[in-house]
Structures are given as C-alpha cells and as structure tokens.
Amino acid sequence: ILERCENKRVLHVGCTDYPFFEDALSHGYLLHKDLTKVAQHVVGIDIVQDDIDAMKSHGYDVRLIDAEKMSDYLKEEEFDVVLLADVIEHIANPGKVIHESIKVLNGKGMMIITVPNALGIVRFLKSFFKYEQVHPDHLAYYSSSTLETLALTFQLKIEELAWYQFEVRDKRP
C-alpha cells in the first residue's frame, strides 16, 4: 500500500481505524500516519467525529465526510489514489462508495481496496468451534472472487490481487 501511495495525492477513506484509533496511534500501526510519511499529500475521511477531532489535534488533514457522499465535499480536489483499506465491509452500499471514489480520482488514478479474507484459514478453523471473531460493524465478507466481481461491475481494471497477514487487534473475548 505504501509503495503505491509514494509521492501521490491520496484520499484515505475510513482513516480513523475505528475503534482502534488510540491503540493504533500509541502502538505505531496507524496506517494514516504511515501514509503521510510517503505520500505527497493525504486527506483522510471518516464518520467518527471523536476520532476525527483527535486526528486533527495531531495535525492530520482529516474531515468528517460520509464516503457515500464524498464527491459532494471533495469537488475541488482530485486524487491519484483512493485507499479503501478494510472499509467496504463496514458499508451498507459498497457500490456507492466505489462510484464516489471513481468521481474523485484523477484520469490516471487508482483505487486500492483491502478487505479481511472471508476464506482465511484461521477464520475457517474457528468456525469448527462455533466461534466467529468479527468486527462489530462488519456487514459483509469478501473473497477474492466477490471482490473481483464488485470491481468489474464498475469497469475497474484489476492490476493485482494479493493477500496479506497481520495480527488481529480485536481484543474482545
């Protein structure tokens, strides 16, 4: 993600990493902070007022904007990259957010979409124990196939499908 955003104008949708903002900031894994180190300019949007206020107090250019209406608020701006990092699974209408993202991209811009893997081995194994560790705000799961179908619905050219692994930060029992 950071390589693709290097020296670019980036719109980071879901920038607060709610509800993990304070933990992510204090432990050094806030993606938005890392983006600001490599990108030419980063604008973050989210719908969590308290976290937006906290991020502003740290000097970040973040705005309280609903992703389903972002083009209304970002009319005068164009971005090289729209980053939807682990955000569309939280949104009731992901197609609307993708459509809005396309509107704020410049002519050669790219969209980066990441989602938790619906078919990840750990998630699968936990299901045998009738346990599903899922963020309380998730509305959907995506596999590589369903994510690809969603992208193609909007005539997006898929340059790469990749998988990544990270430690789960959700500390619920």
Side-chain angles (χ1 to χ4, degrees):
I1 291 172
L2 297 178
E3 279 180 23
R4 302 246 182 200
C5 293
E6 195 169 347
N7 298 315
K8 303 272 195 311
R9 292 187 47 80
V10 177
L11 176 63
H12 184 195
V13 179
C15 65
T16 69
D17 200 14
Y18 176 83
F20 306 112
F21 168 68
E22 290 296 337
D23 192 47
L25 183 65
S26 64
H27 290 95
Y29 59 81
L30 184 65
L31 177 58
H32 196 80
K33 180 179 181 181
D34 294 338
L35 288 169
T36 63
K37 292 176 183 175
V38 299
Q40 178 187 16
H41 182 71
V42 181
V43 173
I45 67 169
D46 211 307
I47 58 170
V48 183
Q49 181 70 62
D50 290 344
D51 288 353
I52 288 289
D53 292 343
M55 289 182 78
K56 282 183 178 181
S57 75
H58 288 279
Y60 296 112
D61 180 358
V62 292
R63 305 166 194 180
L64 185 69
I65 296 175
D66 182 340
E68 290 186 17
K69 302 172 186 166
M70 71 175 102
S71 68
D72 293 342
Y73 297 94
L74 301 168
K75 289 178 185 172
E76 305 301 316
E77 298 178 77
E78 283 190 334
F79 298 92
D80 304 308
V81 177
V82 173
L83 176 59
L84 302 165
D86 290 9
V87 72
I88 66 168
E89 66 276 6
H90 296 262
I91 297 170
N93 191 345
K96 176 72 172 160
V97 173
I98 290 173
H99 182 71
E100 287 289 298
S101 298
I102 292 167
K103 289 180 181 180
V104 299
L105 279 171
N106 69 25
K108 295 181 181 179
M110 77 169 76
M111 199 178 312
I112 299 173
I113 303 171
T114 67
V115 293
N117 184 357
L119 304 175
I121 189 70
V122 172
R123 186 176 319 279
F124 175 73
L125 291 174
K126 286 181 178 181
S127 71
F128 287 108
F129 300 98
K130 296 182 181 179
Y131 177 74
E132 181 180 6
Q133 184 171 1
V134 63
H135 190 290
D137 294 335
H138 281 187
L139 300 175
Y141 282 123
Y142 292 91
S143 67
S144 56
S145 293
T146 58
L147 188 58
E148 183 176 9
T149 299
L150 182 61
L152 293 174
T153 298
F154 291 90
Q155 289 90 41
L156 298 175
K157 177 184 171 199
I158 299 170
E159 291 185 9
E160 180 180 7
L161 285 173
W163 291 262
Y164 67 93
Q165 182 176 348
F166 66 94
E167 292 298 317
V168 175
R169 299 181 305 254
D170 187 346
K171 295 183 173 67
R172 289 174 293 141

